[in-house]
């Protein structure tokens, strides 16, 4: 058996709904039955070819229709490098505009994922011009030293944030390592509680979630707790009994980069084995 096939069988299936849109929609239905909403992502990134970009844009328009037509509780999550940022900022903006407008007319919310630091300025710039639409949100990575300033600017403009620790490999010049990464997460979370009415706490870290639950007793914000499919499914189901919870549901054939990022996070063997046995995507 080829190594890539073995890797897919063992790992990728835990973190990815499946190769087809229907696999994602089935996963979302199961999540919804537990009172959990979803963020549907069509896997793919760093596209340089216009035909690939077009295929992704068309898929997002389809996803938006499926969410609306099936009455699903789900948002969309996309990467700008998947819809043309690697070809040109104007091109990505045009494609994003098509998706946001279609989503707006169908009452669907769009999240932009945050990628490598080289893309941050253009990502912020594109997101900024759509904030007023009201149906868009942006991921901010606590490990980037610049994120405090970026986050504050977006919040002041009335933007909605999904706060994560950060998943790419960045240099220490521009990013924090542990424990500073987690410390900065808490600091940015504190700012969100104080200044933002609605945001997403995206983490599997029990300590971060407990801290957020505790802060919200005072602030009473509209907080959604977000996790990735297949990492802490059981905990998400438990949390959803009392809190708003959303699971990031990726699907598609281009799963390698996404799965490797997850593998790096679950960096010790015990964690990987626990995740494989206890948290398969199919168990949700
Ligand atoms: C909804 C959502 C959207 C995201 N979007 C982005 C994005 O747009 N850009 C970006 O850079 N990053 C994104 N991330 C990833 C994020 O940046 C982190 O890399 C990832 O969430 C791991 O960090 P953590 O906060 O869970 O804390 P960690 O300190 O990494 O982990 C805390 C605990 O969670 C568990 N855990 C974490 N990961 C795994 C795993 N893979 N397998 C098994 N157990 C695990 C372990 O128990 C671990 O001890 C997103 C994460 C979520 C939940």
């Amino acid at each position: 058996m080829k190594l890539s096939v073995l890797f897919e069988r063992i790992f990728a299936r835990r973190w990815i709904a499946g190769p087809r849109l229907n696999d994602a929609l089935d996963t979302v239905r199961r999540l919804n039955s537990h009172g959990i909403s979803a963020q549907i992502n069509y896997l793919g990134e760093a596209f340089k070819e216009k035909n690939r970009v077009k295929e992704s844009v068309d898929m997002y328009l389809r996803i938006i229709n499926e969410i609306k037509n099936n009455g699903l509780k789900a948002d969309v999550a996309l990467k700008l490098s998947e819809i043309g940022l690697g070809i040109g900022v104007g091109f990505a903006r045009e494609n994003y505009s098509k998706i946001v407008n279609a989503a707006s007319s169908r009452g669907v919310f769009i999240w932009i994922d945050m990628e490598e630091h080289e893309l941050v300025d253009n990502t912020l710039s594109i997101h900024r011009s759509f904030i007023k639409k009201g149906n868009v949100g942006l991921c901010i990575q606590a490990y980037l030293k610049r994120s405090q300033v970026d986050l504050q600017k977006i919040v002041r403009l009335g933007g909605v944030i999904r706060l994560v620790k950060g998943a790419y490999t960045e240099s220490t010049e521009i990013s924090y390592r542990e424990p500073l990464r987690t410390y900065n997460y808490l600091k940015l979370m504190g700012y969100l509680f104080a200044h933002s009415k609605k945001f997403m706490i995206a983490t599997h870290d029990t300590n971060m979630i407990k801290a957020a639950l505790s802060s919200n007793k005072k602030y009473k914000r509209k907080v959604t707790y977000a996790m990735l499919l297949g990492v802490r499914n059981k905990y998400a189901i438990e949390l959803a009994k009392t809190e708003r919870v959303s699971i990031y549901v990726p699907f598609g054939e281009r799963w390698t980069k996404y799965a490797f990022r997850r593998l790096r996070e679950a960096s010790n063997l015990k964690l990987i084995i626990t995740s494989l046995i206890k948290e398969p995507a199919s168990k949700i």
Side-chain angles (χ1 to χ4, degrees):
M1 188 186 289
K2 274 168 68 180
L3 199 61
S4 60
V5 176
L6 186 68
F7 183 81
E8 183 188 359
R9 291 242 168 106
I10 299 176
F11 295 110
R13 284 186 189 179
R14 314 291 153 162
W15 295 314
I16 289 151
R20 285 174 299 276
L21 174 56
N22 272 340
D23 299 319
L25 298 177
D26 286 346
T27 303
V28 174
R29 280 188 197 98
R30 289 200 296 276
L31 289 167
N32 286 179
S33 75
H34 291 290
I36 297 175
S37 65
Q39 297 157 71
I40 305 180
N41 171 254
Y42 181 46
L43 289 161
E45 51 199 276
F47 291 162
K48 298 274 187 237
E49 304 86 2
K50 283 197 169 174
N51 59 334
R52 284 198 168 180
V53 169
K54 183 177 181 318
E55 194 233 326
S56 283
V57 174
D58 290 346
M59 179 57 88
Y60 281 115
L61 297 175
R62 244 181 96 191
I63 295 170
I64 289 163
N65 281 334
E66 293 291 343
I67 292 174
K68 169 80 178 158
N69 296 343
N70 291 289
L72 297 174
K73 275 181 71 185
D75 303 335
V76 163
L78 56 81
K79 292 182 173 48
L80 290 181
S81 76
E82 189 184 358
I83 60 163
L85 196 55
I87 297 171
V89 184
F91 183 54
R93 195 186 293 272
E94 240 172 67
N95 288 326
Y96 186 57
S97 178
K98 264 187 221 164
I99 294 170
V100 172
N101 287 333
S104 173
S105 65
R106 289 164 185 79
V108 175
F109 196 93
I110 308 287
W111 291 98
I112 298 182
D113 291 355
M114 192 58 90
E115 305 177 66
E116 289 93 341
H117 78 274
E118 292 89 346
L119 304 184
V120 174
D121 280 331
N122 286 332
T123 302
L124 288 170
S125 151
I126 292 180
H127 173 255
R128 217 170 16 244
S129 36
F130 290 89
I131 288 177
K132 289 273 178 303
K133 287 264 178 195
N135 67 323
V136 296
L138 176 70
C139 177
I140 289 283
Q141 300 154 322
Y143 69 1
L144 287 189
K145 293 181 181 173
R146 59 175 291 169
S147 284
Q148 183 174 5
V149 173
D150 294 338
L151 179 139
Q152 291 181 358
K153 278 189 191 156
I154 297 165
V155 170
R156 275 191 222 111
L157 292 170
V160 183
I161 303 279
R162 179 178 79 206
L163 185 63
V164 303
K165 286 189 184 172
Y168 297 81
T169 309
E170 303 287 8
S171 79
T172 48
E173 268 171 41
I174 58 156
S175 72
Y176 298 116
R177 298 275 185 277
E178 291 299 347
L180 289 180
R181 182 176 79 138
T182 294
Y183 173 74
N184 205 41
Y185 193 98
L186 283 171
K187 191 163 143 191
L188 300 185
M189 186 164 89
Y191 185 89
L192 288 174
F193 273 107
H195 300 281
S196 177
K197 291 197 171 74
K198 170 184 166 180
F199 50 91
M200 206 172 240
I201 293 298
T203 180
H204 315 97
D205 186 333
T206 316
N207 290 333
M208 298 304 103
I209 296 170
K210 279 187 182 158
L213 290 170
S214 160
S215 292
N216 215 23
K217 284 189 184 133
K218 173 177 168 196
Y219 288 102
K220 311 234 177 299
R221 302 304 193 194
K222 192 172 175 192
V223 182
T224 302
Y225 296 89
M227 297 181 209
L228 302 171
L229 185 68
V231 178
R232 299 196 70 185
N233 291 349
K234 284 186 187 160
Y235 181 48
I237 292 172
E238 201 48 41
L239 193 63
K241 289 178 183 160
T242 54
E243 306 299 324
R244 271 180 215 92
V245 176
S246 169
I247 296 271
Y248 188 98
V249 177
F251 77 96
E253 310 266 8
R254 300 190 180 98
W255 47 265
T256 330
K257 287 184 181 167
Y258 179 88
F260 271 107
R261 282 196 293 274
R262 303 294 76 81
L263 199 55
R264 210 172 39 232
E265 284 153 9
S267 54
N268 75 58
L269 194 60
K270 188 167 160 236
L271 250 185
I272 293 174
I273 292 167
T274 312
S275 163
L276 293 180
I277 296 169
K278 292 192 179 164
E279 309 286 356
S282 56
K283 281 275 170 67
I284 202 88

